[in-house]
Amino acid sequence: MNTGEPWPGLDEALPRVLRMQAKLHRWAAQDPGRRFDDLHNLVCDPAFLVVAWDRVRRNKGARTAGVDGVSPRSIVAEGDVAGFLADARAQLKARVFTPLPVRERLIPKGSPGKFRSLGIPSVMDRLVQAAVKLVLEPIFEADFKPVSYGFRPRRRAQDAIAEIHHFGTQGYHWVLEADIEACFDEISHPELVSRIRGRIGDKRVLALVKWLFEVNRDRVVVRLRIVVSCCWRCVTFGGVPGCRRYGRACAGWRGCGTRRPGGPPAWRAGSGSRRWRW
């Protein structure tokens, strides 16, 4: 794309991105050991940047500015979206893009009196994160199993609950609930990058991911959580027998599929605080 050419509209850009994502997903699914090179050109592609900008612009945080004081809404109000996208593309192609520090905010957690730190990236960082996610997501989606629901497109917690309900009618009666404290804070960045290298061979894209981890911290890079979630599962549970047996839920765990004699299956939370019968 020449500098003077107009940027594609969303109606033109979105089908192009979806077609490319379908190809990436198909190639990744057909060859689980394939490493993808030359993905940086997709991150810089005008169509990917236009779609990434649309997602940033429509996000609920579009009113919020990062440390540079610029918000997506202010860019739209000034009518300089094309100039902003052109600047981002030029920095990416010249490999001079450097993420800014996040703007730290404390927001309340579910428990009274408890807060967690939220980092707000700059608009340029959000755009690059969204573009990287558009490229990497279809590749890592091919590695997910049907029982994975977290941070995946067109999947939500209610789908997992429906799956649990389904298996409750098939004789399974235990639900194990676990939570890893500050998972996105404590996860090993070097190990994550090492896992990502298993699929991604483009050093320019790997450098972008590494910079975003180092500057923004993975707990605040919401748009890259699909990558974090996928790799975290591989790092943490990759060596656990039974977690690979996805044909039937928990089929690798002894006793999980037995029905209690004389009664219907019961669902019990791992903490023991709740129990459900179906």
Side-chain angles (χ1 to χ4, degrees):
M1 175 178 177
N2 296 325
T3 306
E5 292 183 3
W7 284 76
L10 184 62
D11 291 341
E12 177 186 352
L14 184 57
R16 287 166 53 185
V17 170
L18 292 176
R19 285 195 298 268
M20 190 67 238
Q21 286 184 318
K23 290 180 180 179
L24 291 172
H25 184 271
R26 183 171 66 251
W27 295 334
Q30 290 174 348
D31 185 1
R34 177 170 180 170
R35 297 181 76 228
F36 289 81
D37 298 305
D38 201 22
L39 295 177
H40 189 260
N41 286 335
L42 292 180
V43 176
C44 302
D45 186 89
F48 276 80
L49 290 175
V50 166
V51 175
W53 168 252
D54 180 69
R55 296 191 176 185
V56 172
R57 179 185 59 83
R58 291 189 295 105
N59 189 272
K60 289 187 291 185
R63 297 181 180 180
T64 309
V67 294
D68 57 357
V70 179
S71 68
R73 180 162 293 189
S74 67
I75 295 176
V76 174
E78 294 172 1
D80 193 28
V81 174
F84 172 74
L85 294 179
D87 182 32
R89 185 168 187 261
Q91 290 189 38
L92 287 169
K93 288 183 70 67
R95 301 187 64 183
V96 296
F97 166 76
T98 303
L100 294 176
V102 295
R103 175 184 163 208
E104 295 285 350
R105 291 281 302 275
L106 290 177
I107 61 175
K109 295 184 68 174
S111 304
K114 291 188 176 182
F115 297 85
R116 68 181 180 91
S117 179
L118 174 69
I120 304 172
S122 68
V123 181
M124 183 77 75
D125 290 2
R126 292 180 228 179
L127 175 68
V128 175
Q129 292 167 19
V132 171
K133 178 177 178 287
L134 286 173
V135 175
L136 297 188
E137 186 174 64
I139 297 173
F140 284 95
E141 265 290 309
D143 295 333
F144 273 104
K145 301 299 181 181
V147 294
S148 299
Y149 289 92
F151 305 109
R152 297 184 65 185
R154 295 182 296 278
R155 286 190 170 223
R156 54 181 183 165
Q158 287 82 354
D159 297 325
I161 294 172
E163 188 80 355
I164 291 173
H165 186 277
H166 167 72
F167 280 107
T169 65
Q170 306 299 314
Y172 297 91
H173 61 274
W174 283 99
V175 173
L176 304 179
E177 183 181 30
D179 182 48
I180 298 179
E181 184 177 0
C183 170
F184 291 106
D185 296 337
E186 302 298 332
I187 195 170
S188 170
H189 290 187
E191 186 65 25
L192 268 178
V193 174
S194 175
R195 293 286 180 169
I196 293 174
R197 285 197 188 102
R199 271 300 202 178
I200 310 302
D202 193 324
K203 294 182 179 180
R204 297 164 297 179
V205 173
L206 290 172
L208 283 176
V209 173
K210 187 177 180 181
W211 284 341
L212 292 168
F213 279 159
E214 290 177 350
V215 176
N216 293 335
R217 310 283 184 184
D218 52 359
R219 58 189 163 86
V220 300
V221 185
V222 178
R223 299 181 188 281
L224 286 178
R225 280 188 174 179
I226 181 68
V227 179
V228 174
S229 179
C230 177
C231 295
W232 171 81
R233 187 196 76 235
C234 294
V235 171
T236 309
F237 296 115
V240 179
C243 285
R244 297 182 180 275
R245 302 185 185 183
Y246 290 98
R248 299 172 61 196
C250 295
W253 297 102
R254 183 178 180 183
C256 285
T258 58
R259 180 186 294 269
R260 189 174 49 205
W267 294 95
R268 176 181 295 174
S271 60
S273 59
R274 292 167 293 176
R275 174 180 288 184
W276 297 272
R277 292 180 184 276
W278 304 98

